[in-house]
Amino acid sequence: MPIYLYLDRRTFIHRLHPAVKILTIVGIFWSVYWVDNPISLLPIAVLLLAGAQLTRAWPNFYSLRWLFILVIFATTLTWIVFYRQGKPLVHLGPLFVSRASLEYGFGRGIKLAELLATSVLFLSTTKVEEFAFGLAEMGVPYRVGFAITLAFRLVPLFIDSALTVVQAQRLRGYDFDSGSLMTRVRRYVPVTVPVFMGALRKANNMAMALEARGFGYSARPTSYVHYEMRTVDVMMLLGVIVLAVAYFLIYYSGYGAIAPR
Amino acid sequence: MSELRSMWGNTRMVVLSAISAALYAAVLVPFKVVPLIPGVTELRPANAIPVVCSFLFGPAAAWGAAIGNMIGDFFGGVGPADIFGFFANIVYGYVPYKVWQVLARGQEPVIRSPATAVKYTVACLLASTFCADIVGWGENLLALRPFLMLGNAIVFNNMLAAMLLSPFLLAAIYPRVKAGHLLYEDVMPEQQGAAAWTAPLGLILLVVGVFGAWTAGNLISTGYWTPHALPASMTQPPYDRAIGIVVTPLVAVAVLGLGLM
Amino acid sequence: MKTALENHQRAEAGGAEAAPAVALEEVSFTYRSADRPALAGVRFSQRAGEMVGVMGAAGTGKSSLARCLNAIIPGFEHGRFEGLVRIHGRAVNGSRVCEMAPAVGMVFQDFEAQLFSTNVAHEVAFAMEQVGLAPHEIRARLGPALAAVGLAGFEDRDPTSLSGGEKQRLAIASVLAVQPSVIVLDEPTTDLDPEGRAEVFELIRKLRDRGLSLLIIEHETEEMRECDRIVVIRDGRIVAEGPPERILSDTRLLNESGIRPPGLNLVLDALGIEGYAANVDEAEALLRRALRVPARFEPEPDFAPLSPAQPQPAATQDTPLVEIDNLTHVYGGTVRALDSVSLRIDPGEFVAIIGQNGSGKTTLAKQIVGLLQPTAGRVMLAGRDRSTLGAAEAAAMVGYVFQNPDHQIFAGTVAQEVAFGPRNFGLPPDEIERRCDRVLKAVGLDAMRDKDPFLLGRGERQRLAVASVLVLQPRLLILDEPTTGLDYPQQRRIMDLIGELNRAGTAIVIITHTPWLVAEYARRAVLMRKGQKLFDGAVRDLFRHEELLATAAFRLPEVTALSRHFGMVALNAHELAQALRGAL
């Protein structure tokens, strides 16, 4: 089961400095934050689509297509209900729809989808180790980064173990699919307990193996992978700063807002 | 709260945080979730895991919950709330243990009497609500999703898992972890001093902050209360920035309370 | 003057040589909350460059001994410690475990628990990064370390995609890269298949040739013959040590210590021949000399006595229990795990399914039990199509014991665990009670019925897993590698239990890698390779087809291989001894 999004390709975005990638995410999140109306969100959408093309990450977007559709649709609907300004087009009891509320809701939907797309691009182009390296460069302690890496490695192991447990209990007549919500929730016990205990049996061995490999020997271990800041990284960073400033200016000049009409 | 930092010095705790994270994510992925509000939140049996880990591993569970949530989001793409989701999950994995230390120090977190049931419920309710406050607050600060829906869905969602599933898991797992000397108090006995004299005060502040934030968020979100002291542009529906601003000091009070415990 | 200097230098060198690589002086250790010491006054020393094997039953202190070398005891495992440990003359006491990493490398049994990275190069770099080597130094050592374990070119692979043997070699590479002078291998091959085991032991031989001091803990006797010295541990004490020819020929010592005596020596013992055979050829030479067998002697070729462990299968005209017809299984649309396999299993049979990893053994078993649906072909159970059977009907027909007992144990007590299945199927309480009693007696867990299953030993948990499937009274029991991770007495116990069940009428299918298990317990063997059935017939017949076995990387048990030198197929030492005695 492919559970990670990383795609092993060697595009220039893949090879960006991990810290630059993380800062790019921050920059896009920042830019998106300041504006509300769909038009002003459009340039970012174009940038992200170009990113998807450049990194050839389309398979990931394809496999997550329903998530994107759901996010845009559900968010739009929700905010239409909460945004009660402007001249109503429809006003039936609690239901209040105006042109402004449509714009506002749709803007929110696009916003969320853009943030999602940014993360998908990041994950499609960044290995866990690179992520940890990027975090370390930005001052996150080594051991926190290590715990993140280790957790990533353990997830597929535990999923495998959970699927095996489900099979084993099914053969002993265990039925996972019927009954009320409450009984169904409780049915997770015979599956979760073996997975949990198996994991905890490993905990001691893992800690022991870690220390036997010198974990703790130095507070700031060396790193054999090293990413140099290259020209392309600097350019990317400058681009992100320009984008961030531009979006703040859009907000400041009032173009990003929804006109209540 | 210093233990959230000092635990990283202990290899077993590092491993336990990675294992808590991986278990959380591993149960998130293969087990069916029941969507409550599509794209917003869903009934996740996995939400029982941080509560269970909290009573077992204390601070390691806090980091585990945060990292695990991050990994879980990675599978479907990170959402914008994840900076807040990270902190919300630290709280979700940390508060149950912390509250239990004040209310029922030295007792096993296994429900054996009405008194333990009440204490357990209080611990879980505080954790769930605090978690919801942070996500709801953050998302409103960013103006992403309405507090009314998001905040309450998270409380409901977390409590469901914590009340229906966690007690059974704890009853099955706690004695065995104890026998294996992997409880926080066995792994880091040096951390187990007497309760701080400020602990009861901290608990009171926590209760005030957590439920205050939740109440304020709901009242403003539904329009029952309008904080007129704020600029007029914020006191119009959907009130998202108003919520962000009003809830901030209350969340700060809750964090202060946690620090005193 | 010159000679004085030389003398001095020689004394210096001699002095360095005199300090043993490892020295334990009166070491005792009791784990916290344990009532008995794990180590009781152990004295042990190891020369630099020596390869020492440590043997003994599970839980006797082998691992505890090893863990003293890099301060895991008492630096990581807490408890009461006494004594002194020295590595190359330097006292270890008081060191932190991580400080020992540059001096003592340690490889553990559980390969999943000692790999921490998502790619091979990172994994090898990990320990070097921890001890603070400079990045250029790490890069310089990376290649040679991977080459040394035969993993050159694997740098970018995800460790989870490696085979067990490769994972264990990767763990060794990670340790090697730090260049410790002592390497401890704690049951490095217990969880591996024969190929993986051969890979790892080949590597161990290379390490020894490099002059490393090796301490190896291992259950399998055959591999330990290459050690310079073997140490036998019982109840936390060293009860014997010496060269392999002395220790491994002392059958009584081995039996008392829970170590499987090498089959070749059992043959010699049974015939009253003094001596030690390190391999099949030596054993043959010894036998021919002692029995004065002429070089050309060959008994009648089809000589095949039946041992008591091999009763004739009851001939039955019943409908077959399992009938598989041209079964094909394809994973994910591309991987052809089973390719038109047909198979019939009758009531009361004892079948071993053998073959390399990935040959389709487990897929075949999962098809029978219904965890997988056929891509093509069909599976019939007692004359009915598998897919038409309800869960309860199917469970009463065939039971499946997973390789790892911990994948199913969850209940609070042994009795509740066993009752879980029958309760799910809605059996009446008194019937459940009756069945649990019977099954727990059968597996020898009667006295532990109220115990917490998680606190049982591995062998007991394995028997509990068997019991909780057995309680559904299946007519066929399938066991996936039931002896993995068990020591010799535990392996014997579980296999004897399975043998008894078979004699009482339950048909048995075991999936196994262990040659002597096939020889001594199964009557029929099915050999799988690349999703196809290569052989199906009596075990004894299979063992005649050496070329067939070779293509599936299955090695004959040594006793059988020896018997082939005398033109027969013996399945155990007793049989061969009897035959040789009778033939003369």
Side-chain angles (χ1 to χ4, degrees):
Chain A
M1 181 164 62
I3 46 174
Y4 293 118
L5 295 172
Y6 182 73
L7 299 168
D8 195 5
R9 295 178 182 158
R10 319 245 151 162
T11 71
F12 88 92
I13 294 184
H14 278 79
R15 289 197 308 255
L16 284 175
H17 192 285
V20 170
K21 288 187 199 171
I22 295 173
L23 290 172
T24 305
I25 293 196
V26 174
I28 293 179
F29 279 24
W30 159 277
S31 306
V32 163
Y33 167 65
W34 292 111
V35 294
D36 284 330
N37 78 47
I39 308 285
S40 52
L41 285 164
L42 197 63
I44 296 212
V46 173
L47 280 178
L48 289 170
L49 292 176
Q53 176 63 30
L54 282 172
T55 56
R56 283 174 285 136
W58 292 116
N60 281 339
F61 283 91
Y62 183 77
S63 62
L64 291 170
R65 63 193 182 281
W66 290 112
L67 186 67
F68 278 97
I69 292 169
L70 195 74
V71 159
I72 295 174
F73 195 69
T75 313
T76 306
L77 275 184
T78 324
W79 280 106
I80 286 175
V81 175
F82 277 83
Y83 191 90
R84 311 178 70 88
Q85 296 181 61
K87 204 165 78 209
L89 300 173
V90 184
H91 194 174
L92 289 171
L95 187 67
F96 179 98
V97 181
S98 67
R99 181 158 165 199
S101 77
L102 279 174
E103 265 183 29
Y104 190 83
F106 188 58
R108 292 292 160 106
I110 295 291
K111 216 180 211 186
L112 217 54
E114 285 183 353
L115 297 172
L116 195 62
T118 311
S119 333
V120 172
L121 278 179
F122 178 74
L123 297 172
S124 305
T125 57
T126 315
K127 284 191 212 148
V128 184
E129 273 89 0
E130 293 169 356
F131 179 51
F133 179 86
L135 291 178
E137 288 281 281
M138 295 169 69
V140 174
Y142 172 79
R143 291 189 162 209
V144 179
F146 173 77
I148 295 174
T149 321
L150 179 58
F152 263 93
R153 199 193 90 71
L154 291 176
V155 173
L157 220 63
F158 291 169
I159 290 180
D160 264 2
S161 148
L163 295 176
T164 309
V165 173
V166 169
Q167 286 189 337
Q169 306 300 40
R170 249 186 229 286
L171 288 182
R172 296 162 81 197
Y174 207 58
D175 178 8
F176 291 92
D177 300 321
S178 62
S180 67
L181 183 70
M182 174 136 167
T183 50
R184 251 155 67 183
V185 170
R186 269 202 243 160
R187 285 224 180 86
Y188 289 104
V189 174
V191 178
T192 315
V193 172
V195 177
F196 225 104
M197 293 311 297
L200 293 183
R201 266 184 216 286
K202 285 208 182 307
N204 227 20
N205 291 342
M206 236 183 263
M208 205 188 307
L210 270 174
E211 295 205 352
R213 295 274 179 85
F215 191 73
Y217 187 93
S218 83
R220 189 87 179 83
T222 51
S223 173
Y224 109 97
V225 279
H226 192 77
Y227 299 87
E228 298 292 333
M229 273 288 192
R230 296 172 304 151
T231 322
V232 66
D233 292 308
V234 177
M235 308 257 289
M236 185 74 179
L237 217 49
L238 285 175
V240 170
I241 291 170
V242 168
L243 185 80
V245 171
Y247 266 85
F248 184 74
L249 291 177
I250 293 178
Y251 159 78
Y252 196 73
S253 60
Y255 285 116
I258 305 277
R261 57 197 152 186
Chain B
M1 279 206 287
S2 65
E3 57 195 350
L4 283 176
R5 194 184 168 81
S6 61
M7 64 145 268
W8 290 105
N10 183 300
T11 310
R12 278 190 184 88
M13 292 297 277
V14 174
V15 169
L16 287 173
S17 71
I19 283 183
S20 304
L23 280 171
Y24 189 20
V27 177
L28 270 176
V29 178
F31 290 153
K32 270 183 269 177
V33 290
V34 187
L36 295 179
I37 307 167
V40 181
T41 185
E42 62 254 320
L43 171 58
R44 311 196 289 183
N47 285 14
I49 305 287
V51 175
V52 173
C53 291
S54 183
F55 287 114
L56 303 173
F57 314 129
W63 291 107
I67 296 170
N69 178 65
M70 189 172 87
I71 296 175
D73 286 333
F74 269 39
F75 295 122
V78 185
D82 292 305
I83 302 153
F84 296 102
F86 191 86
F87 293 108
N89 273 283
I90 287 188
V91 160
Y92 188 52
Y94 190 49
V95 169
Y97 147 78
K98 216 54 200 169
V99 173
W100 191 261
Q101 286 298 299
V102 178
L103 292 181
R105 196 179 188 78
Q107 293 177 38
E108 293 196 355
V110 177
I111 298 178
R112 293 215 174 83
S113 64
T116 50
V118 170
K119 289 171 189 168
Y120 177 86
T121 311
V122 169
C124 291
L125 191 63
L126 276 167
S128 302
T129 314
F130 201 172
C131 172
D133 286 345
I134 293 180
V135 177
W137 167 66
E139 292 230 344
N140 277 278
L141 215 55
L142 287 183
L144 287 170
R145 285 177 287 192
F147 189 96
L148 183 65
M149 295 174 64
L150 194 65
N152 294 320
I154 291 173
V155 175
F156 179 73
N157 184 356
N158 286 350
M159 279 310 278
L160 209 61
M163 297 311 292
L164 292 185
L165 188 50
S166 302
F168 295 98
L169 293 178
L170 272 172
I173 293 168
Y174 187 90
R176 289 154 179 176
V177 175
K178 189 174 181 179
H181 303 297
L182 277 175
L183 293 177
Y184 175 46
E185 60 203 58
D186 288 325
V187 174
M188 295 188 82
E190 68 276 16
Q191 287 284 331
Q192 316 296 323
W197 61 271
T198 50
L201 175 66
L203 184 59
I204 292 168
L205 288 180
L206 182 72
V207 171
V208 169
V210 164
F211 293 119
W214 181 77
T215 312
N218 271 308
L219 286 179
I220 302 174
S221 189
T222 48
Y224 279 109
W225 176 51
T226 312
H228 290 291
L230 294 175
S233 68
M234 290 186 181
T235 53
Q236 289 164 6
Y239 309 112
D240 43 12
R241 293 202 167 91
I243 294 173
I245 288 168
V246 172
V247 170
T248 305
L250 291 164
V251 169
V253 167
V255 172
L256 178 67
L258 197 55
L260 291 175
M261 284 164 72
Chain C
M1 268 311 278
K2 200 182 166 195
T3 28
L5 185 67
E6 271 178 1
N7 277 345
H8 178 69
Q9 280 172 341
R10 202 170 302 139
E12 279 265 271
E17 253 167 50
V22 177
L24 269 67
E25 296 164 22
E26 297 298 333
V27 168
S28 297
F29 183 71
T30 309
Y31 288 91
R32 69 170 161 183
S33 77
D35 41 8
R36 285 182 315 125
L39 295 174
V42 172
R43 302 173 77 170
F44 169 75
S45 96
Q46 180 173 2
R47 277 185 291 109
E50 197 183 11
M51 174 168 163
V52 176
V54 180
M55 303 189 79
T60 49
K62 303 188 298 293
S63 293
S64 301
L65 168 68
R67 286 167 189 179
C68 290
L69 268 55
N70 63 347
I72 287 179
I73 288 178
F76 179 87
E77 292 286 7
H78 302 293
R80 219 173 51 247
F81 180 86
E82 280 164 52
L84 192 60
V85 179
R86 290 176 193 276
I87 301 292
H88 290 296
R90 281 182 50 196
V92 167
N93 295 37
S95 300
R96 290 157 67 214
V97 181
C98 54
E99 291 164 356
M100 296 304 298
V104 179
M106 189 171 272
V107 177
F108 298 84
Q109 171 185 348
D110 185 351
F111 38 78
E112 299 293 2
Q114 56 182 332
L115 299 180
F116 308 108
S117 311
T118 54
N119 103 17
V120 167
H122 284 129
E123 191 62 52
V124 178
F126 182 79
M128 294 191 278
E129 293 174 341
Q130 299 305 318
V131 300
L133 289 184
H136 66 88
E137 179 68 22
I138 295 178
R139 273 190 292 275
R141 290 189 188 183
L142 200 81
L146 281 173
V149 302
L151 289 178
F154 281 64
E155 284 81 354
D156 290 329
R157 289 274 297 275
D158 182 346
T160 47
S161 71
L162 303 181
S163 73
E166 288 166 345
K167 281 180 188 160
Q168 204 57 283
R169 275 149 57 205
L170 174 57
I172 295 175
S174 174
V175 163
L176 269 185
V178 188
Q179 303 181 344
S181 62
V182 179
I183 295 188
V184 180
L185 300 112
D186 189 351
E187 301 197 28
T189 68
T190 299
D191 293 340
L192 300 181
D193 60 352
E195 267 179 283
R197 179 171 296 147
E199 288 169 15
V200 170
F201 270 96
E202 200 188 303
L203 174 56
I204 289 175
R205 255 169 253 134
K206 282 206 299 193
L207 298 182
R208 170 221 216 139
D209 294 343
R210 290 173 154 209
L212 288 164
S213 314
L214 301 171
L215 186 81
I216 303 167
I217 299 174
E218 176 64 44
H219 287 306
E220 287 303 317
T221 324
E222 276 82 8
E223 270 92 2
M224 294 301 255
R225 286 190 291 229
E226 299 188 31
C227 293
D228 299 316
R229 183 157 54 108
I230 290 179
V231 172
V232 178
I233 297 206
R234 208 188 301 157
D235 298 328
R237 288 168 210 279
I238 293 179
V239 291
E241 59 182 309
E245 56 267 30
R246 203 178 77 226
I247 301 293
L248 296 181
S249 58
D250 190 342
T251 306
R252 206 181 121 190
L253 169 75
L254 297 181
N255 277 330
E256 284 171 358
S257 309
I259 302 166
R260 186 171 63 86
L264 298 177
N265 283 84
L266 286 180
V267 178
L268 298 177
D269 272 7
L271 293 168
I273 301 172
E274 286 284 315
Y276 167 77
N279 55 46
V280 174
D281 290 337
E282 282 188 36
E284 184 189 359
L286 272 171
L287 282 172
R288 287 196 191 271
R289 201 174 327 126
L291 300 173
R292 293 189 193 80
V293 182
R296 294 180 291 101
F297 168 83
E298 300 240 318
E300 57 273 44
D302 55 346
F303 178 86
L306 287 171
S307 75
Q310 300 272 324
Q312 275 292 11
T316 52
Q317 266 74 52
D318 298 352
T319 34
L321 215 46
V322 177
E323 196 167 22
I324 295 173
D325 203 13
N326 279 314
L327 182 69
T328 295
H329 187 87
V330 180
Y331 284 107
T334 48
V335 186
R336 222 177 173 75
L338 288 179
D339 192 359
S340 311
V341 172
S342 298
L343 182 72
R344 174 190 162 120
I345 298 169
D346 283 314
E349 280 204 282
F350 196 133
V351 185
I353 303 183
I354 56 180
Q356 286 164 279
N357 279 343
S359 58
K361 306 184 301 287
T362 299
T363 309
L364 182 60
K366 287 190 171 174
Q367 280 283 355
I368 297 175
V369 80
L371 288 172
L372 295 172
Q373 300 305 318
T375 309
R378 62 176 185 170
V379 179
M380 308 278 284
L381 291 186
R384 295 171 60 192
D385 196 319
R386 230 233 78 94
S387 55
T388 64
L389 293 175
E393 284 174 306
M397 217 89 82
V398 41
Y400 185 85
V401 181
F402 281 73
Q403 183 177 351
N404 184 350
D406 298 330
H407 276 145
Q408 60 177 69
I409 294 174
F410 78 97
T413 69
V414 166
Q416 283 168 14
E417 187 66 46
V418 175
F420 179 68
R423 226 172 254 155
N424 286 331
F425 287 118
L427 293 184
D430 55 328
E431 170 71 9
I432 295 178
E433 185 79 6
R434 209 163 44 238
R435 283 191 185 193
C436 285
D437 281 347
R438 202 168 54 221
V439 170
L440 284 172
K441 280 203 188 83
V443 301
L445 289 177
D446 201 27
M448 303 190 178
R449 54 185 309 145
D450 295 321
K451 274 208 171 179
D452 181 346
F454 285 91
L455 305 180
L456 302 181
R458 172 80 196 245
E460 290 160 341
R461 299 206 299 281
Q462 186 64 273
R463 279 184 279 138
L464 174 59
V466 173
S468 56
V469 172
L470 204 58
V471 72
L472 298 168
Q473 302 186 343
R475 295 173 64 195
L476 167 67
L477 191 60
I478 304 178
L479 303 104
D480 194 349
E481 303 191 29
T483 58
T484 302
L486 303 184
D487 69 356
Y488 178 61
Q490 291 166 342
Q491 291 189 6
R492 271 286 174 210
R493 179 140 198 199
I494 190 95
M495 289 311 297
D496 288 344
L497 165 66
I498 295 167
E500 271 164 42
L501 293 173
N502 180 242
R503 278 189 288 283
T506 309
I508 302 287
V509 170
I510 57 168
I511 297 173
T512 184
H513 287 303
T514 315
W516 68 268
L517 287 185
V518 179
E520 296 194 20
Y521 290 92
R523 283 188 299 269
R524 179 178 151 200
V526 173
L527 177 65
M528 300 288 297
R529 197 185 56 172
K530 292 181 180 163
Q532 288 176 331
K533 199 170 77 172
L534 228 53
F535 177 91
D536 184 355
V539 169
R540 210 180 288 275
D541 288 335
L542 173 69
F543 286 174
R544 274 184 236 280
H545 294 83
E546 269 138 297
E547 65 310 325
L548 205 59
L549 292 169
T551 63
F554 187 89
R555 275 165 56 195
L556 282 182
E558 283 189 339
V559 170
T560 310
L562 177 60
S563 73
R564 299 289 291 145
H565 288 218
F566 291 94
M568 47 185 152
V569 180
L571 296 177
N572 58 45
H574 176 73
E575 219 178 78
L576 178 57
Q578 211 184 0
L580 286 172
R581 210 182 284 124
L584 290 165

